[in-house]
Amino acid sequence: IEGMSAKAKDNGFDWDISNLKVFNIYYPTKGELRSNIILDDFNILSWTNDKDLSGRLANRVVVIGSGSLDDIVSETVEDATEQANWYLQEIALSEKDTGTSANLIAKGTKYLDDRKSPKSVISVRVNDRNPDILTYYVGDTLPVRIGTIGFSENLRIDKRTIQIQRTGEAQVDISF
């Protein structure tokens, strides 16, 4: 794994392992927090806030722990409010290395918190000079503040596209 790291090899990949034991690969890089580049009401030309329904929703998580036959430890964690909103979305997690109910509940709760409702997909359109398009890249994290909806978070850039207008002005669409 370390051999394919961007630090060990030209054109390698950045990677990490999440708390849920998920191996994440970032290409071209994981990026950096660029706190000096702020996207806000002064430089955002337009924005959208959509719900991503393609992800795996889960509002009931069954966590299966260690044991055998009739002696398997398992716990169920659920969110009834989200079930009412999105119907039943159930998933089973295998945590065979865990035999303690409290640990299974903690893992199920974490998974549930991350997936109980669709994630917001924020996209903004900015001018290519404000901020300068050469100062941030796909993978970087930027502060985004949209005053009209009271939104203020640091978001990682997933996609960046450039549109050249008939006037010659370039506009940049950034998706997080």
Side-chain angles (χ1 to χ4, degrees):
I1 292 176
E2 290 181 8
M4 69 183 207
S5 172
K7 293 179 182 172
K9 179 179 178 181
D10 288 340
N11 295 318
F13 299 92
D14 278 354
W15 57 272
D16 65 17
I17 298 174
S18 75
N19 293 339
L20 291 173
K21 301 178 187 171
V22 175
F23 180 71
N24 296 306
I25 297 178
Y26 304 97
Y27 183 81
T29 63
K30 185 175 180 180
E32 299 176 20
L33 172 61
R34 306 227 183 241
S35 56
N36 60 323
I37 301 172
I38 300 170
L39 302 180
D40 59 15
D41 296 334
F42 297 106
N43 54 12
I44 294 176
L45 303 174
S46 62
W47 58 271
T48 61
N49 182 8
D50 297 320
K51 297 287 186 191
D52 180 9
L53 298 175
S54 65
R56 292 182 59 150
L57 289 178
N59 48 39
R60 178 186 290 165
V61 180
V62 178
V63 189
I64 302 166
S66 64
S68 61
L69 300 175
D70 292 336
D71 196 28
I72 296 175
V73 179
S74 69
E75 293 292 340
T76 301
V77 181
E78 59 188 336
D79 186 319
T81 302
E82 292 301 328
Q83 287 176 15
N85 292 336
W86 301 101
Y87 303 103
L88 178 62
Q89 306 291 323
E90 184 176 69
I91 192 159
L93 295 181
S94 176
E95 295 291 339
K96 295 186 186 267
D97 61 337
T98 305
T100 307
S101 290
N103 292 346
L104 295 175
I105 291 170
K107 289 181 180 192
T109 301
K110 171 68 173 129
Y111 195 91
L112 183 69
D113 287 344
D114 290 343
R115 291 183 175 80
K116 65 183 175 184
S117 60
K119 299 292 181 204
S120 290
V121 178
I122 303 284
S123 297
V124 299
R125 177 171 287 172
V126 296
N127 186 292
D128 70 325
R129 289 171 299 231
N130 185 16
D132 184 345
I133 193 168
L134 299 176
T135 59
Y136 62 94
Y137 308 96
V138 172
D140 284 345
T141 300
L142 304 177
V144 179
R145 298 180 183 134
I146 303 172
T148 54
I149 60 171
F151 183 86
S152 180
E153 287 186 29
N154 291 337
L155 301 175
R156 183 176 183 271
I157 300 173
D158 289 331
K159 180 179 176 184
R160 178 175 73 170
T161 56
I162 302 169
Q163 297 180 11
I164 307 296
Q165 305 299 314
R166 291 179 192 247
T167 61
E169 177 187 35
Q171 294 181 345
V172 183
D173 291 325
I174 304 169
S175 297
F176 302 95

